[in-house]
PDB file of all heavy atoms in Angstrom:
ATOM      1  N   GLY T 582      24.850 -11.350  18.844  1.00 97.00           N
ATOM      2  CA  GLY T 582      23.705 -10.780  18.145  1.00 97.00           C
ATOM      3  C   GLY T 582      24.158 -10.014  16.914  1.00 97.00           C
ATOM      4  O   GLY T 582      23.568 -10.142  15.832  1.00 97.00           O
ATOM      5  N   GLN T 583      25.213  -9.230  17.053  1.00 98.00           N
ATOM      6  CA  GLN T 583      25.741  -8.478  15.911  1.00 98.00           C
ATOM      7  C   GLN T 583      26.338  -9.414  14.865  1.00 98.00           C
ATOM      8  O   GLN T 583      26.189  -9.190  13.663  1.00 98.00           O
ATOM      9  CB  GLN T 583      26.797  -7.457  16.368  1.00 98.00           C
ATOM     10  CG  GLN T 583      27.314  -6.572  15.243  1.00 98.00           C
ATOM     11  CD  GLN T 583      26.207  -5.798  14.545  1.00 98.00           C
ATOM     12  OE1 GLN T 583      25.434  -5.087  15.189  1.00 98.00           O
ATOM     13  NE2 GLN T 583      26.116  -5.930  13.228  1.00 98.00           N
ATOM     14  N   GLN T 584      26.979 -10.492  15.310  1.00 98.00           N
ATOM     15  CA  GLN T 584      27.531 -11.469  14.368  1.00 98.00           C
ATOM     16  C   GLN T 584      26.414 -12.138  13.554  1.00 98.00           C
ATOM     17  O   GLN T 584      26.592 -12.414  12.365  1.00 98.00           O
ATOM     18  CB  GLN T 584      28.343 -12.531  15.110  1.00 98.00           C
ATOM     19  CG  GLN T 584      29.650 -12.012  15.682  1.00 98.00           C
ATOM     20  CD  GLN T 584      30.344 -13.042  16.559  1.00 98.00           C
ATOM     21  OE1 GLN T 584      29.686 -13.880  17.191  1.00 98.00           O
ATOM     22  NE2 GLN T 584      31.664 -12.990  16.604  1.00 98.00           N
ATOM     23  N   ILE T 585      25.292 -12.373  14.181  1.00 98.00           N
ATOM     24  CA  ILE T 585      24.149 -12.954  13.460  1.00 98.00           C
ATOM     25  C   ILE T 585      23.676 -11.988  12.383  1.00 98.00           C
ATOM     26  O   ILE T 585      23.428 -12.389  11.241  1.00 98.00           O
ATOM     27  CB  ILE T 585      23.006 -13.297  14.435  1.00 98.00           C
ATOM     28  CG1 ILE T 585      23.400 -14.458  15.336  1.00 98.00           C
ATOM     29  CG2 ILE T 585      21.725 -13.623  13.668  1.00 98.00           C
ATOM     30  CD1 ILE T 585      22.470 -14.698  16.512  1.00 98.00           C
ATOM     31  N   VAL T 586      23.580 -10.709  12.731  1.00 98.00           N
ATOM     32  CA  VAL T 586      23.169  -9.691  11.747  1.00 98.00           C
ATOM     33  C   VAL T 586      24.158  -9.689  10.588  1.00 98.00           C
ATOM     34  O   VAL T 586      23.743  -9.667   9.411  1.00 98.00           O
ATOM     35  CB  VAL T 586      23.075  -8.290  12.400  1.00 98.00           C
ATOM     36  CG1 VAL T 586      22.817  -7.228  11.348  1.00 98.00           C
ATOM     37  CG2 VAL T 586      21.990  -8.267  13.467  1.00 98.00           C
ATOM     38  N   ASP T 587      25.434  -9.712  10.891  1.00 98.00           N
ATOM     39  CA  ASP T 587      26.458  -9.718   9.837  1.00 98.00           C
ATOM     40  C   ASP T 587      26.325 -10.957   8.954  1.00 98.00           C
ATOM     41  O   ASP T 587      26.474 -10.877   7.722  1.00 98.00           O
ATOM     42  CB  ASP T 587      27.861  -9.632  10.453  1.00 98.00           C
ATOM     43  CG  ASP T 587      28.112  -8.318  11.172  1.00 98.00           C
ATOM     44  OD1 ASP T 587      27.394  -7.319  10.902  1.00 98.00           O
ATOM     45  OD2 ASP T 587      29.030  -8.282  12.023  1.00 98.00           O
ATOM     46  N   ALA T 588      26.030 -12.103   9.571  1.00 98.00           N
ATOM     47  CA  ALA T 588      25.878 -13.348   8.805  1.00 98.00           C
ATOM     48  C   ALA T 588      24.671 -13.275   7.883  1.00 98.00           C
ATOM     49  O   ALA T 588      24.737 -13.706   6.719  1.00 98.00           O
ATOM     50  CB  ALA T 588      25.735 -14.534   9.761  1.00 98.00           C
ATOM     51  N   VAL T 589      23.581 -12.705   8.364  1.00 98.00           N
ATOM     52  CA  VAL T 589      22.371 -12.569   7.537  1.00 98.00           C
ATOM     53  C   VAL T 589      22.643 -11.643   6.359  1.00 98.00           C
ATOM     54  O   VAL T 589      22.277 -11.937   5.214  1.00 98.00           O
ATOM     55  CB  VAL T 589      21.184 -12.065   8.397  1.00 98.00           C
ATOM     56  CG1 VAL T 589      20.004 -11.663   7.528  1.00 98.00           C
ATOM     57  CG2 VAL T 589      20.775 -13.124   9.415  1.00 98.00           C
ATOM     58  N   LYS T 590      23.313 -10.535   6.628  1.00 97.00           N
ATOM     59  CA  LYS T 590      23.654  -9.597   5.549  1.00 97.00           C
ATOM     60  C   LYS T 590      24.534 -10.277   4.502  1.00 97.00           C
ATOM     61  O   LYS T 590      24.295 -10.147   3.295  1.00 97.00           O
ATOM     62  CB  LYS T 590      24.402  -8.377   6.105  1.00 97.00           C
ATOM     63  CG  LYS T 590      23.526  -7.383   6.832  1.00 97.00           C
ATOM     64  CD  LYS T 590      24.436  -6.238   7.299  1.00 97.00           C
ATOM     65  CE  LYS T 590      23.731  -5.186   8.081  1.00 97.00           C
ATOM     66  NZ  LYS T 590      24.652  -4.132   8.537  1.00 97.00           N
ATOM     67  N   ALA T 591      25.538 -10.976   4.969  1.00 97.00           N
ATOM     68  CA  ALA T 591      26.491 -11.604   4.041  1.00 97.00           C
ATOM     69  C   ALA T 591      25.847 -12.730   3.245  1.00 97.00           C
ATOM     70  O   ALA T 591      26.177 -12.925   2.073  1.00 97.00           O
ATOM     71  CB  ALA T 591      27.700 -12.139   4.822  1.00 97.00           C
ATOM     72  N   ALA T 592      24.919 -13.460   3.858  1.00 97.00           N
ATOM     73  CA  ALA T 592      24.353 -14.634   3.201  1.00 97.00           C
ATOM     74  C   ALA T 592      23.275 -14.286   2.177  1.00 97.00           C
ATOM     75  O   ALA T 592      23.299 -14.821   1.065  1.00 97.00           O
ATOM     76  CB  ALA T 592      23.775 -15.592   4.238  1.00 97.00           C
TER      77      ALA T 592
END
Side-chain angles (χ1 to χ4, degrees):
Q583 184 58 54
Q584 290 173 330
I585 291 168
V586 173
D587 295 340
V589 169
K590 285 181 182 178

